Amino acid sequence: MNQDRLTCVELNQVRINDSFWNRYIHLVDEVILPFQWELINDRVEGAEKSYCIRNFRIAAGEEEGEHKGMVFQDTDVAKWLEAVAYSLAKKPNPELEKTADEAIDLIARAQCEDGYLNTYYTITGKPRWSDLQEGHELYTAGHMIEAAVAYYEATGKRKFLDVVSRFADYLWEVFGEEEGKIHGYPGHPEVELALVRLYRATGEKKYLELANYFVRNRGKRPCYFEGEECVQKKEYIFPEFADFDLDYMQAHQPIEEQKTAEGHAVRAVYLYSAMADLAGEYQDQRLLEQCDELWKNITQKRMYITGCIGSASFGERFTSDYDLPNDTNYSESCATIGLAMFSNRMFQITRDAKYMDVVERALYNTLLSGIALDGRHFFYVNPLEVVPQVAEHNPAMNHVKTTRQEWFGVACCPPNIARTLASISNYIYAVDEKENTLYSSLFISSELTASLGKQKVRLRLTADYPRSGELLYEVLSASGTEVTLAIRMPDYAEGFSVRVNGKEAEGKQKQGYLYLKQNWTMGDRITVSIGVPFRFVYCNPRVHENLGKIALMKGPQVYCLEEADNGSYLKSIAVSADTPVTEEYEASILNGTLCARFKGERIDYRQADDCLYGKNAPVYIEDTFTAIPYCEWNNRGKGEMVVWMREKRD
Amino acid sequence: MNQDRLTCVELNQVRINDSFWNRYIHLVDEVILPFQWELINDRVEGAEKSYCIRNFRIAAGEEEGEHKGMVFQDTDVAKWLEAVAYSLAKKPNPELEKTADEAIDLIARAQCEDGYLNTYYTITGKPRWSDLQEGHELYTAGHMIEAAVAYYEATGKRKFLDVVSRFADYLWEVFGEEEGKIHGYPGHPEVELALVRLYRATGEKKYLELANYFVRNRGKRPCYFEGEECVQKKEYIFPEFADFDLDYMQAHQPIEEQKTAEGHAVRAVYLYSAMADLAGEYQDQRLLEQCDELWKNITQKRMYITGCIGSASFGERFTSDYDLPNDTNYSESCATIGLAMFSNRMFQITRDAKYMDVVERALYNTLLSGIALDGRHFFYVNPLEVVPQVAEHNPAMNHVKTTRQEWFGVACCPPNIARTLASISNYIYAVDEKENTLYSSLFISSELTASLGKQKVRLRLTADYPRSGELLYEVLSASGTEVTLAIRMPDYAEGFSVRVNGKEAEGKQKQGYLYLKQNWTMGDRITVSIGVPFRFVYCNPRVHENLGKIALMKGPQVYCLEEADNGSYLKSIAVSADTPVTEEYEASILNGTLCARFKGERIDYRQADDCLYGKNAPVYIEDTFTAIPYCEWNNRGKGEMVVWMREKRD
């Protein structure tokens, strides 16, 4: 394995200006962050109270009262601060920074003398670490650490970083294999990957070792959770946990024996992200291979075409290979983000484009389907098929919302989407400092300055992707030493050609990247042509739900049919896989979107009789259908939606 | 409406000897009743303890101890006694009768001075009627009453009837509109239809009036249940009830406003059965029309092709029109039995064959799928599609069992199946005493003696139905006055012809019955020819789950594909609706069954690659498939099963 992982380009060195992504990224600064700050301060009329900031004031001794909200309510401000950090990194905003500083001051005041930081346990006085399975203390710690590292990297200010470092120092004293320490680990992974980030930001090796301890100790027999007093006494914070198996929290077997993705999907991919981090840091080839095996299990057997994961609502979890129901699935937005995190880490270690293919699928589809075009409404659950009348009356779909909600009681997904959008450039580019190589993985229009060896390269990528597969890289400045530009060749590309200054480029192809190595000079133009026509896609026939069906894609984007364009009874529609698809840019809908038009047939319900079972075949009529990107569904009111269409075989 | 409802022929006047039904009916006497008696006496090794008889001994003061089991555990012995009664009615069994008498003696000793009878409330001392929503006191009372009426009718012994009459007299004092009485009604309907039976057996009008009160009071505003102290205090016997809406127990609106079948399916059809009873007794045309409207809502929009109902597991309930998922449905055996009860009552009032079409569908498919050919294993849940690997790992199918279970903790379905099988002749024949008409609805080989006016008619029906559509009725004796034989013309019949003594018969057709009126004499032979070829059936296209699919039926029987005959990946199979089907009687499987063979195509999984989403269409190969009756599925070990097959359209 490579000795060094790729690194991200610093956020302030990338300026995104992309026709497709701008609308989403702007939402973070303009809508989400201001709204969320009001929300966690309980100032949004009509919204469920958060109590998040109030809890900190109480913990700091500055206000009287009881803790309110979830045990992990602290993470709301942590996630807000993390997104704020990314925003500040890209664009100074003194007022926002002042607000953030004040929040950090409050957090610091709520920290205990010994470094412990958690308002729920501090206020309630419940024994710390008495319920690792459900208490979410380490999960909360993880989000605090991530936020602090991000804030330090964005502003250079150490205060928050010092707070979480003290906390992490305390954790180091409390947890570990040594006698006298607690031999447990978190029910919900998150602190592990956060500790790796903290190690990278501070250089303090024990944080890495603690992360390593948490991961390697997981699932050892006898299982730590089963011995917890609260579990023995069946005193559950979340009574529904009583029925959950250990695989729900990936504690069903020692970590090195886990070869299939099991349990709660968010927990799983957060854990696997940490495992990938550790594989890289410890140069552990075996762990890396295990990560790849888990990743393959997900992406070859347990992932939806839209890049979401988690087939079941109860447990928000993985189920079994090829079990991918389109209507009862949970497929949480956060799980998709976690899958992108895990995949990006694997790419940074291996340089293999297959991981970025999945990142792209996740980001272009389920990340964005989680957020409305107004930035004020969110999906946690991301079905691929909705019939509102059915979903609203069948308890098997109680978790499915037929319209995006304003902001949920458990606010995990909206801020997670926000922090991902705010740091999206971490997925666009990556740098191999030793090899002087810049990786261009996602085709999002942007300008960047990348430090490669002793020089800085300034580059502009102009794209209208995936609407068009024509990309233009322009070298804005370069100092004349050899630098490699590695351009991802997507797995779905139907044709991929590159010209440098008009001449066909010759480059090495490896693991899905085309490597172009030369002395670049200002004005060099690299034009890339990626074939991204609309295409109909089949599902592996082992997936029962999609048998006899096809889906429409363009590049990484999955398309869907909506009632708004096609009327109801969408599931009756049947289409030939070789039907021609025409592209039509519609400026008037969905703030402008590229629609697909194609012919097919559908059942004529005017001719359907009232009998429930009979000898009359339904009558089909020809019709023309309009598909829109899945990520934009449900922005025009409630209605049916379907991704997988029945294939008409001639 | 007709002034008089049809009545059943007394059980001891019908002797069934049918190649198809014998095997199931024999199970009741030979396997189920002896086993259940051991079970409720806690003498079955390895089985969950019932405590049922023990609870009665404790309540009678003959043993020390606490009540154990469910609040409605008493119904186990009641259902056993009801089935015993039907068994004794058909065939004397002094030993069984002695055992039953002893059980009845015990029940009598457990009855309170004032007539109240319920071991749970008697033993625990909890206030009677304090939890009508969940306490199941009236539900339990209903099953006691049904058992007692059946036992009285079978044996002529009054003891048990007197016990429940005293109980009913007490109920009459406790419940009603008058001041000082409780204005409530049961959370789980059952006592209503039982009280009507008790009224018919005793002639005591107040039992009818009490049933009428319970039904008519249901759902009035403000809702009685919402005012119950236990509900106010959220002290639930079944905590999962906390989330249930009032429509779960059909209390969401006044009964006369209920036009769609809602909530828990068993409760619904038990309630509707009582409503039909009352419509008949009170000659209430409006109530009858409402019953028909509810019945049509079920059978035209909410019933599976196999005659089961209840699309959702959570709440074991109806969901919405045309929502009929084949794999996550609950479709409890008891609900199908209730649907047959409701339909039979509607037929008895209206003489309309459409109701018996549904009875036949329910009995030939889901009633029998509930019980294994060994009589020792049972399904509560009756899916139309099972992939074990999926069902065992997806929590949305936690309720689905991939093999029949020995006997469940809640023992509602097995004894309900037993009592239905033991009294199946109530569905085969019915008598219109005023019109001297004998209705022959189900084509099950049998001999009967029917009292019609002043004469008795003895008749033999010989059939091998639905394997063959040729029926023979022979008049064994008749006294020469005019009598009408009404033969049902099934709605699915492809051709229906009748000859009397070799001559084409002329008869009046009305509401699906052919009426043959004449002076019958010994030796008269009526031959009926019903066209029952295998046929492929379409589902109403408003049912999303079955779009593009067809099912195979023969007469009332639904056929299915099983892994045992066809290998795995059954859902990949596609068949043309006009493919010829050959009948093959297989003596070697399933104790001898009529199989269907037909050609079609399936995906060749050897040629399927590992990629989850791609451009390669699956490769289909031709194959020949074998279908068996749905009711016999899962008698050869665990495996895939599917009713609805993909239609191959050419």
Side-chain angles (χ1 to χ4, degrees):
Chain A
M1 69 194 279
N2 286 58
Q3 288 295 309
D4 298 293
R5 64 178 187 96
L6 305 182
T7 54
C8 299
V9 179
E10 282 174 41
L11 293 180
N12 62 4
Q13 300 300 310
V14 184
R15 196 157 55 79
I16 297 170
N17 186 13
D18 184 84
S19 57
F20 179 77
W21 283 91
N22 279 358
R23 67 173 102 172
Y24 295 104
I25 293 170
H26 286 178
L27 290 171
V28 179
D29 285 341
E30 290 162 14
V31 180
I32 303 177
L33 290 181
F35 178 76
Q36 194 185 358
W37 178 245
E38 293 305 298
L39 197 88
I40 63 180
N41 279 281
D42 305 324
R43 291 192 293 247
V44 178
E45 213 172 314
E48 211 177 313
K49 284 220 188 312
S50 156
Y51 304 109
C52 177
I53 294 296
R54 183 176 168 276
N55 287 335
F56 276 96
R57 284 201 301 268
I58 296 169
E62 298 165 9
E63 189 173 320
E64 294 284 309
E66 290 175 5
H67 182 277
K68 287 186 181 172
M70 308 294 276
V71 289
F72 46 79
Q73 205 73 8
D74 293 359
T75 59
D76 277 8
V77 69
K79 287 173 183 169
W80 180 78
L81 281 166
E82 187 181 343
V84 165
Y86 300 142
S87 174
L88 294 177
K90 293 186 292 182
K91 202 172 72 179
N93 180 337
E95 198 183 341
L96 182 62
E97 188 166 337
K98 184 163 168 284
T99 306
D101 283 339
E102 286 168 7
I104 289 164
D105 290 342
L106 174 61
I107 291 169
R109 296 197 300 276
Q111 187 171 33
C112 300
E113 280 293 312
D114 57 2
Y116 181 80
L117 176 60
N118 182 302
T119 71
Y120 175 77
Y121 282 88
T122 299
I123 297 173
T124 63
K126 286 192 185 170
R128 295 175 188 174
W129 322 120
S130 59
D131 189 350
L132 290 184
Q133 178 173 299
E134 297 190 70
H136 283 74
E137 281 165 290
L138 290 165
Y139 168 83
T140 304
H143 276 299
M144 282 290 168
I145 291 168
E146 283 209 273
V149 172
Y151 201 76
Y152 166 69
E153 288 173 347
T155 64
K157 294 179 182 170
R158 289 200 62 97
K159 179 163 187 175
F160 197 9
L161 190 71
D162 290 340
V163 165
V164 300
S165 296
R166 279 181 59 214
F167 192 5
D169 293 341
Y170 168 74
L171 295 179
W172 171 257
E173 298 298 324
V174 172
F175 290 94
E177 282 189 277
E178 298 85 348
E179 214 178 329
K181 288 188 175 181
I182 297 173
H183 303 318
Y185 44 89
H188 194 319
E190 154 66 22
V191 74
E192 300 87 341
L193 67 89
L195 284 166
V196 177
R197 279 184 86 171
L198 184 61
Y199 155 67
R200 289 175 184 162
T202 63
E204 179 57 74
K205 192 90 195 271
K206 70 182 175 190
Y207 302 148
L208 180 67
E209 286 171 16
L210 183 57
N212 195 44
Y213 165 76
F214 280 138
V215 168
R216 308 274 180 172
N217 199 43
R218 194 168 199 89
K220 283 193 178 158
R221 295 278 84 92
C223 178
Y224 180 83
F225 297 134
E226 292 185 318
E228 286 200 293
E229 201 179 316
C230 52
V231 173
Q232 301 263 315
K233 291 185 176 170
K234 297 186 186 300
E235 291 167 357
Y236 295 101
I237 296 174
F238 305 96
E240 64 269 30
F241 265 67
D243 290 330
F244 286 164
D245 291 330
L246 288 172
D247 63 358
Y248 169 76
M249 51 213 123
Q250 299 80 41
H252 54 298
Q253 51 187 197
I255 203 74
E256 62 269 17
E257 293 173 19
Q258 298 188 20
K259 305 293 184 193
T260 54
E262 303 295 345
H264 187 265
V266 175
R267 293 173 194 233
V269 285
Y270 280 19
L271 172 66
Y272 306 155
S273 295
M275 286 165 65
D277 281 339
L278 294 168
E281 293 294 341
Y282 287 98
Q283 292 287 301
D284 184 337
Q285 184 64 33
R286 214 174 124 181
L287 185 58
L288 185 69
E289 281 162 17
Q290 197 199 337
C291 286
D292 186 55
E293 199 161 339
L294 289 164
W295 185 87
K296 281 193 294 204
N297 179 250
I298 294 173
T299 57
Q300 292 179 5
K301 295 178 180 171
R302 301 185 178 203
M303 178 186 73
Y304 287 85
I305 191 171
T306 50
C308 63
I309 51 175
S311 300
S313 166
F314 185 80
E316 305 167 358
R317 65 180 292 156
F318 291 108
T319 55
S320 59
D321 290 347
Y322 303 113
D323 177 33
L324 296 166
N326 293 308
D327 55 352
T328 58
N329 53 320
Y330 199 77
S331 301
E332 188 178 344
S333 301
C334 289
T336 289
I337 292 167
L339 178 60
M341 287 159 47
F342 175 35
S343 301
N344 199 33
R345 281 161 166 80
M346 292 299 286
F347 160 67
Q348 288 169 346
I349 299 170
T350 64
R351 282 80 166 150
D352 193 330
K354 71 177 184 180
Y355 299 110
M356 294 313 292
D357 288 330
V358 167
V359 166
E360 194 185 43
R361 186 188 291 270
L363 299 183
Y364 273 87
N365 298 294
T366 302
L367 173 73
L368 297 182
S369 70
I371 181 170
L373 292 175
D374 68 4
R376 298 177 190 278
H377 298 83
F378 301 87
F379 277 136
Y380 282 48
V381 171
N382 294 280
L384 279 75
E385 195 169 285
V386 170
V387 178
Q389 163 72 4
V390 171
E392 289 169 0
H393 291 92
N394 191 321
M397 285 164 249
N398 264 349
H399 58 291
V400 174
K401 304 296 171 201
T402 54
T403 51
R404 289 185 186 80
Q405 309 291 296
E406 283 224 332
W407 198 286
F408 286 33
V410 176
C412 60
C413 298
N416 219 347
I417 293 170
R419 69 168 181 162
T420 306
L421 286 171
S423 60
I424 197 87
S425 68
N426 288 343
Y427 297 105
I428 305 177
Y429 298 106
V431 167
D432 187 333
E433 291 185 34
K434 268 218 180 114
E435 300 289 336
N436 284 2
T437 301
L438 173 68
Y439 285 82
S440 171
S441 299
L442 304 186
F443 310 117
I444 298 175
S445 296
S446 48
E447 274 183 42
L448 93 158
T449 307
S451 299
L452 293 162
K454 286 175 190 158
Q455 69 157 311
K456 279 189 196 301
V457 176
R458 280 188 58 221
L459 202 69
R460 181 193 296 139
L461 166 57
T462 307
D464 184 15
Y465 195 82
R467 187 175 158 193
S468 158
E470 303 302 313
L471 316 177
L472 169 64
Y473 294 87
E474 294 168 279
V475 178
L476 302 181
S477 73
S479 62
T481 57
E482 270 198 339
V483 162
T484 304
L485 177 64
I487 302 172
R488 179 171 144 262
M489 301 180 293
D491 60 352
Y492 51 74
E494 300 185 7
F496 184 90
S497 66
V498 179
R499 301 182 87 81
V500 177
N501 297 326
K503 279 188 213 152
E504 198 160 328
E506 284 174 22
K508 194 179 68 169
Q509 293 187 8
K510 193 179 168 193
Q511 293 189 143
Y513 280 87
L514 177 73
Y515 289 81
L516 300 174
K517 184 175 182 178
Q518 69 180 67
N519 287 347
W520 301 101
T521 54
M522 190 172 73
D524 280 346
R525 292 165 62 89
I526 305 147
T527 53
V528 179
S529 199
I530 306 175
V532 281
F534 276 106
R535 67 193 189 279
F536 284 103
V537 174
Y538 290 90
C539 187
N540 188 309
R542 295 173 187 92
V543 179
H544 293 109
E545 300 283 343
N546 298 335
L547 279 167
K549 294 185 179 173
I550 50 178
L552 181 64
M553 292 189 76
K554 180 173 173 60
Q557 278 195 318
V558 176
Y559 271 63
C560 70
L561 297 173
E562 273 208 300
E563 188 173 338
D565 302 306
N566 305 287
S568 61
Y569 291 117
L570 297 180
K571 288 191 182 183
S572 87
I573 293 170
V575 179
S576 293
D578 54 7
T579 196
V581 178
T582 57
E583 312 190 347
E584 287 186 36
Y585 183 79
E586 292 279 356
S588 63
I589 62 166
L590 300 164
N591 303 350
T593 200
L594 187 72
C595 296
R597 291 259 156 72
F598 50 88
K599 286 192 192 303
E601 59 175 24
R602 71 192 312 163
I603 291 173
D604 183 0
Y605 283 84
R606 294 164 303 185
Q607 297 190 55
D609 58 24
D610 280 343
C611 129
L612 195 47
Y613 305 106
K615 293 214 70 173
N616 294 334
V619 178
Y620 284 83
I621 47 175
E622 294 220 332
D623 204 352
T624 301
F625 304 104
T626 300
I628 61 154
Y630 170 78
C631 65
E632 291 169 5
W633 88 278
N634 196 255
N635 275 291
R636 292 172 294 172
K638 194 164 82 174
E640 291 185 19
M641 182 275 291
V642 64
V643 167
W644 289 99
M645 295 168 273
R646 289 165 53 206
E647 183 189 8
K648 180 169 174 279
R649 289 162 62 211
D650 300 301
Chain B
M1 71 194 276
N2 284 61
Q3 287 295 311
D4 298 292
R5 65 180 186 94
L6 305 181
T7 54
C8 299
V9 179
E10 282 174 39
L11 294 180
N12 63 4
Q13 300 301 309
V14 184
R15 196 157 55 79
I16 296 170
N17 186 14
D18 184 85
S19 57
F20 178 76
W21 283 91
N22 279 357
R23 67 173 101 172
Y24 294 104
I25 293 170
H26 284 178
L27 291 171
V28 179
D29 285 341
E30 290 162 14
V31 180
I32 304 176
L33 290 181
F35 178 75
Q36 193 186 358
W37 178 247
E38 293 304 297
L39 197 88
I40 62 179
N41 278 280
D42 306 324
R43 292 193 294 247
V44 178
E45 212 171 317
E48 210 177 313
K49 283 221 188 312
S50 155
Y51 303 109
C52 176
I53 294 295
R54 182 176 168 276
N55 287 335
F56 278 95
R57 284 200 301 268
I58 296 169
E62 298 165 10
E63 188 172 323
E64 295 283 308
E66 292 175 4
H67 181 278
K68 288 187 180 171
M70 308 295 276
V71 289
F72 46 78
Q73 206 73 9
D74 292 359
T75 59
D76 278 9
V77 69
K79 286 173 183 169
W80 180 78
L81 281 166
E82 187 182 344
V84 165
Y86 300 141
S87 173
L88 295 176
K90 293 185 293 181
K91 202 173 71 180
N93 181 337
E95 199 183 341
L96 181 61
E97 188 167 337
K98 185 164 167 284
T99 306
D101 284 339
E102 286 169 7
I104 289 165
D105 290 343
L106 173 61
I107 291 170
R109 295 196 301 275
Q111 187 170 33
C112 299
E113 281 293 311
D114 57 4
Y116 181 81
L117 176 60
N118 182 302
T119 71
Y120 176 77
Y121 282 89
T122 300
I123 297 173
T124 62
K126 286 193 185 167
R128 294 175 188 172
W129 322 120
S130 59
D131 189 350
L132 290 185
Q133 178 173 300
E134 297 191 71
H136 283 74
E137 281 165 290
L138 289 166
Y139 168 83
T140 303
H143 275 299
M144 282 291 167
I145 292 169
E146 283 211 274
V149 171
Y151 201 75
Y152 166 69
E153 288 172 349
T155 65
K157 294 179 182 171
R158 289 200 62 97
K159 180 164 188 176
F160 198 8
L161 190 71
D162 290 340
V163 164
V164 300
S165 296
R166 279 182 60 213
F167 192 5
D169 293 341
Y170 167 75
L171 295 179
W172 170 257
E173 299 298 323
V174 171
F175 290 93
E177 282 190 276
E178 298 86 347
E179 215 180 325
K181 288 188 175 182
I182 298 173
H183 303 319
Y185 44 88
H188 194 317
E190 155 66 22
V191 74
E192 300 87 342
L193 67 89
L195 284 166
V196 176
R197 278 185 87 170
L198 185 60
Y199 154 68
R200 288 176 184 160
T202 62
E204 180 59 73
K205 193 89 194 273
K206 69 183 178 189
Y207 302 149
L208 179 67
E209 286 170 17
L210 183 57
N212 194 45
Y213 165 76
F214 280 138
V215 169
R216 308 275 179 170
N217 200 42
R218 196 168 197 91
K220 283 194 180 158
R221 296 278 84 90
C223 179
Y224 180 83
F225 296 135
E226 292 186 318
E228 287 201 292
E229 200 180 317
C230 52
V231 173
Q232 300 263 317
K233 290 186 177 169
K234 295 185 186 298
E235 291 168 358
Y236 295 102
I237 297 173
F238 305 97
E240 64 270 30
F241 265 67
D243 290 330
F244 285 164
D245 292 328
L246 288 172
D247 63 358
Y248 169 76
M249 50 214 123
Q250 299 80 41
H252 53 299
Q253 50 187 197
I255 203 75
E256 62 269 17
E257 292 173 20
Q258 299 189 20
K259 306 292 185 191
T260 54
E262 303 296 344
H264 187 266
V266 176
R267 293 173 195 232
V269 285
Y270 280 19
L271 172 65
Y272 306 156
S273 296
M275 285 164 65
D277 281 339
L278 294 168
E281 293 294 342
Y282 287 98
Q283 291 287 299
D284 184 337
Q285 184 65 31
R286 216 175 121 181
L287 185 59
L288 186 70
E289 281 162 16
Q290 196 198 338
C291 286
D292 186 55
E293 199 163 338
L294 288 163
W295 186 86
K296 280 192 294 204
N297 178 251
I298 294 173
T299 58
Q300 293 179 4
K301 295 178 181 172
R302 301 184 177 204
M303 178 186 74
Y304 286 86
I305 192 171
T306 51
C308 63
I309 50 176
S311 301
S313 166
F314 185 79
E316 307 168 357
R317 64 179 294 154
F318 290 107
T319 55
S320 59
D321 290 347
Y322 303 115
D323 177 33
L324 296 166
N326 292 309
D327 54 353
T328 58
N329 53 319
Y330 200 77
S331 302
E332 188 178 344
S333 300
C334 288
T336 289
I337 292 168
L339 178 60
M341 287 160 49
F342 175 35
S343 302
N344 199 33
R345 282 162 167 79
M346 292 299 287
F347 160 66
Q348 289 170 346
I349 298 170
T350 63
R351 282 82 166 149
D352 193 330
K354 72 178 185 180
Y355 299 110
M356 294 313 292
D357 288 330
V358 167
V359 166
E360 194 186 44
R361 186 189 291 271
L363 298 182
Y364 273 87
N365 297 293
T366 303
L367 173 74
L368 296 182
S369 70
I371 181 170
L373 291 174
D374 68 5
R376 297 177 190 280
H377 298 82
F378 300 88
F379 277 135
Y380 282 46
V381 170
N382 294 280
L384 279 74
E385 196 169 283
V386 170
V387 179
Q389 164 72 5
V390 171
E392 288 169 1
H393 291 92
N394 191 321
M397 284 163 250
N398 264 349
H399 58 290
V400 173
K401 304 295 170 201
T402 55
T403 52
R404 288 185 186 80
Q405 308 291 296
E406 284 225 330
W407 197 288
F408 286 33
V410 176
C412 60
C413 297
N416 218 347
I417 293 170
R419 71 168 179 161
T420 306
L421 286 171
S423 59
I424 198 86
S425 68
N426 287 344
Y427 297 105
I428 305 177
Y429 298 107
V431 167
D432 186 332
E433 291 186 33
K434 267 216 183 116
E435 300 289 335
N436 284 1
T437 302
L438 173 69
Y439 285 83
S440 170
S441 299
L442 302 186
F443 310 118
I444 298 175
S445 296
S446 48
E447 272 182 44
L448 93 157
T449 306
S451 298
L452 293 161
K454 286 173 190 159
Q455 69 157 311
K456 279 190 195 302
V457 177
R458 281 188 57 221
L459 203 69
R460 181 193 295 138
L461 166 58
T462 307
D464 185 14
Y465 196 82
R467 187 175 158 192
S468 157
E470 304 301 313
L471 316 177
L472 169 63
Y473 294 88
E474 294 169 279
V475 178
L476 302 181
S477 72
S479 61
T481 56
E482 271 196 342
V483 161
T484 304
L485 177 63
I487 302 172
R488 179 171 145 263
M489 301 180 293
D491 60 351
Y492 50 75
E494 301 185 5
F496 184 89
S497 65
V498 180
R499 302 182 87 81
V500 177
N501 297 326
K503 278 188 215 154
E504 198 160 325
E506 285 172 22
K508 193 180 65 171
Q509 292 187 10
K510 193 180 167 192
Q511 293 189 140
Y513 279 86
L514 177 73
Y515 289 80
L516 301 173
K517 183 175 181 177
Q518 69 179 70
N519 287 346
W520 300 102
T521 55
M522 190 172 75
D524 280 345
R525 292 166 62 88
I526 304 148
T527 53
V528 179
S529 200
I530 306 175
V532 282
F534 276 106
R535 68 191 188 280
F536 284 103
V537 174
Y538 290 91
C539 188
N540 188 308
R542 296 175 186 92
V543 179
H544 293 109
E545 299 282 344
N546 298 335
L547 279 168
K549 295 185 178 174
I550 51 178
L552 182 64
M553 292 189 75
K554 182 174 172 60
Q557 278 195 318
V558 175
Y559 271 64
C560 70
L561 297 172
E562 275 209 300
E563 188 171 338
D565 303 305
N566 304 288
S568 60
Y569 291 116
L570 297 180
K571 288 191 184 185
S572 86
I573 294 169
V575 180
S576 294
D578 55 5
T579 195
V581 178
T582 57
E583 312 190 347
E584 286 187 35
Y585 183 80
E586 291 279 358
S588 63
I589 62 166
L590 300 165
N591 302 348
T593 201
L594 187 72
C595 297
R597 291 258 156 72
F598 49 88
K599 286 192 193 302
E601 58 176 24
R602 70 193 312 163
I603 292 173
D604 183 0
Y605 283 85
R606 294 164 303 184
Q607 297 190 55
D609 57 25
D610 281 343
C611 130
L612 195 46
Y613 305 107
K615 292 214 69 171
N616 294 335
V619 178
Y620 285 83
I621 48 174
E622 293 222 330
D623 204 353
T624 301
F625 305 104
T626 300
I628 61 154
Y630 170 78
C631 66
E632 290 169 4
W633 88 277
N634 196 256
N635 275 291
R636 293 172 292 172
K638 194 164 79 173
E640 291 184 20
M641 181 276 292
V642 66
V643 167
W644 289 99
M645 295 168 272
R646 289 166 53 207
E647 183 189 9
K648 180 169 174 278
R649 289 161 63 208
D650 301 301

